[in-house]
Amino acid sequence: LLLYVANWPAPRRNAWNTLLQARAIENLSYIVGVNRVGTDDNAHPYAGDSAIIDFKGDVLFRQTDTETVHQQTLSLD
């Protein structure tokens, strides 16, 4: 399991999502990417796009634009 905690701004969300899937595929590993939501003190927006991605690059969970708590069971199979 690889865990990425980030502050990726909303205008770059496509890169964040693409790179998370690429990391999962290239490492044959589950990925958890946690990104902030809201706006910072400099008025930069953050869209979240927190995700859980399996080792094949398939998105198991994605949350956009809101804070949430999510639980996911991962399998070695």
Side-chain angles (χ1 to χ4, degrees):
L1 173 68
L2 298 172
L3 176 63
Y4 294 96
V5 179
N7 290 297
W8 278 72
R12 298 184 59 214
R13 70 192 307 177
N14 185 50
W16 165 252
N17 292 320
T18 301
L19 291 171
L20 283 178
Q21 286 183 281
R23 299 296 81 84
I25 294 166
E26 75 182 356
N27 292 292
L28 294 173
S29 177
Y30 284 101
I31 299 289
V32 175
V34 181
N35 193 30
R36 69 182 290 179
V37 296
T39 305
D40 66 17
D41 292 339
N42 295 313
H44 297 289
Y46 298 87
D49 290 318
S50 295
I52 300 172
I53 302 170
D54 74 9
F55 55 92
K56 297 178 287 183
D58 295 328
V59 177
L60 304 176
F61 170 80
R62 175 163 286 129
Q63 181 66 42
T64 303
D65 295 324
T66 59
E67 293 181 25
T68 190
V69 175
H70 179 78
Q71 182 175 328
Q72 183 85 37
T73 300
L74 306 178
S75 173
L76 289 175
D77 295 334

